[in-house]
Amino acid sequence: MSMDLPAIAQSRLRLRLPDISAPGNRQSGSTRSTSCIAPRDNLISLVPQTNYGQTVEGYPTFYFYLPPTEARQLKLVMLNDATNEFVYEGRFSIQANSGIASVSLPNNGLQRPLEVGQRYVWYLAVICDENDPSADVVVEGYVERVAPIAAADEASPTVLPAIYAEEGLWYDAVNASAELKEDGSSTEWETLLEAVELDDLIAVPLLTHLSFQEQSAASDSQ
């Protein structure tokens, strides 16, 4: 079952998300006075209001808004939602100050891909104090890997966002739209953010993947 969400009228992209919700918070909320992020600002993950999204990728990419911060590291943690087993934990060094950034589950020959039909909970944390985990600024979401779709096999990059959006594949639609935005086409990106009520982030610059390099990881590669 799918539900239609708002879209920019002139765009060919139509976002049809599965009618599934998950616990979590796509926005970090108010932070401690000693935090490395200003109290009036927030870490925000680019996910639907339901905190749930699907992907066909074994190594998906997660986009988020990083507010101005003095922190130099962030952490991505993933667990299997059914078994609560750790799937991945890795740190990324922050080389940029603020903007829309992304981190990916690393396809490094050691890390196992997400399994089709499995749902995972992921946490993204800005590490404010290495010695105090309670000072981390955290957002949480869910991702489920689903079977590949034939329509995307030979599609050009310019139509991939619309194909993924129509199929309800949030993470893939965002990633494909980000790649088009880097090439100068921002319509799909703007449509997606408006559809999930994140239009306040449309004007925020998109940082490159090189701004967030994996520093170290402890992954389930068995």
Side-chain angles (χ1 to χ4, degrees):
M1 180 178 181
S2 298
M3 58 181 179
D4 295 342
L5 293 183
I8 296 176
Q10 66 269 25
S11 174
R12 295 172 297 169
L13 186 151
R14 184 184 186 192
L15 181 61
R16 296 174 57 86
L17 294 174
D19 192 10
I20 301 174
S21 296
N25 193 350
R26 69 176 182 175
Q27 184 165 303
S28 61
S30 59
T31 58
R32 296 178 1 176
S33 59
T34 56
S35 173
C36 57
I37 292 177
R40 293 185 179 182
D41 218 337
N42 297 287
L43 177 68
I44 303 173
S45 59
L46 271 59
V47 296
Q49 300 96 316
T50 58
N51 294 311
Y52 168 87
Q54 294 180 342
T55 181
V56 299
E57 297 294 333
Y59 300 93
T61 299
F62 304 92
Y63 284 81
F64 58 96
Y65 165 64
L66 179 72
T69 179
E70 296 180 356
R72 296 272 61 92
Q73 292 184 331
L74 57 87
K75 178 170 62 176
L76 175 66
V77 178
M78 296 190 68
L79 295 86
N80 185 298
D81 186 43
T83 65
N84 209 37
E85 293 177 312
F86 273 91
V87 173
Y88 174 77
E89 180 175 350
R91 293 196 178 194
F92 296 77
S93 57
I94 301 174
Q95 304 297 330
N97 185 44
S98 178
I100 301 295
S102 65
V103 294
S104 301
L105 186 67
N107 185 358
N108 54 16
L110 298 174
Q111 173 65 40
R112 295 174 61 182
L114 303 187
E115 297 181 20
V116 173
Q118 293 293 311
R119 189 166 86 163
Y120 302 84
V121 56
W122 57 267
Y123 303 88
L124 188 70
V126 174
I127 301 173
C128 292
D129 185 342
E130 185 68 40
N131 300 313
D132 182 9
S134 68
D136 289 355
V137 179
V138 184
V139 289
E140 173 189 356
Y142 285 74
V143 58
E144 181 177 354
R145 188 182 180 191
V146 297
I149 55 173
D153 287 345
E154 298 182 3
S156 70
T158 57
V159 299
L160 277 177
I163 291 174
Y164 288 139
E166 182 69 27
E167 295 292 333
L169 301 170
W170 171 259
Y171 292 100
D172 304 321
V174 169
N175 192 47
S177 297
E179 292 179 357
L180 289 184
K181 181 175 172 61
E182 289 180 339
D183 291 336
S185 176
S186 61
T187 301
E188 294 81 4
W189 177 262
E190 294 172 4
T191 299
L192 286 176
L193 294 192
E194 285 202 354
V196 296
E197 299 182 9
L198 290 174
D199 40 302
D200 287 349
L201 299 179
I202 287 176
V204 176
L206 182 65
L207 304 176
T208 68
H209 293 286
L210 296 178
S211 298
F212 294 81
Q213 290 291 299
E214 186 187 22
Q215 188 177 69
S216 62
S219 64
D220 176 13
S221 58
Q222 303 299 316

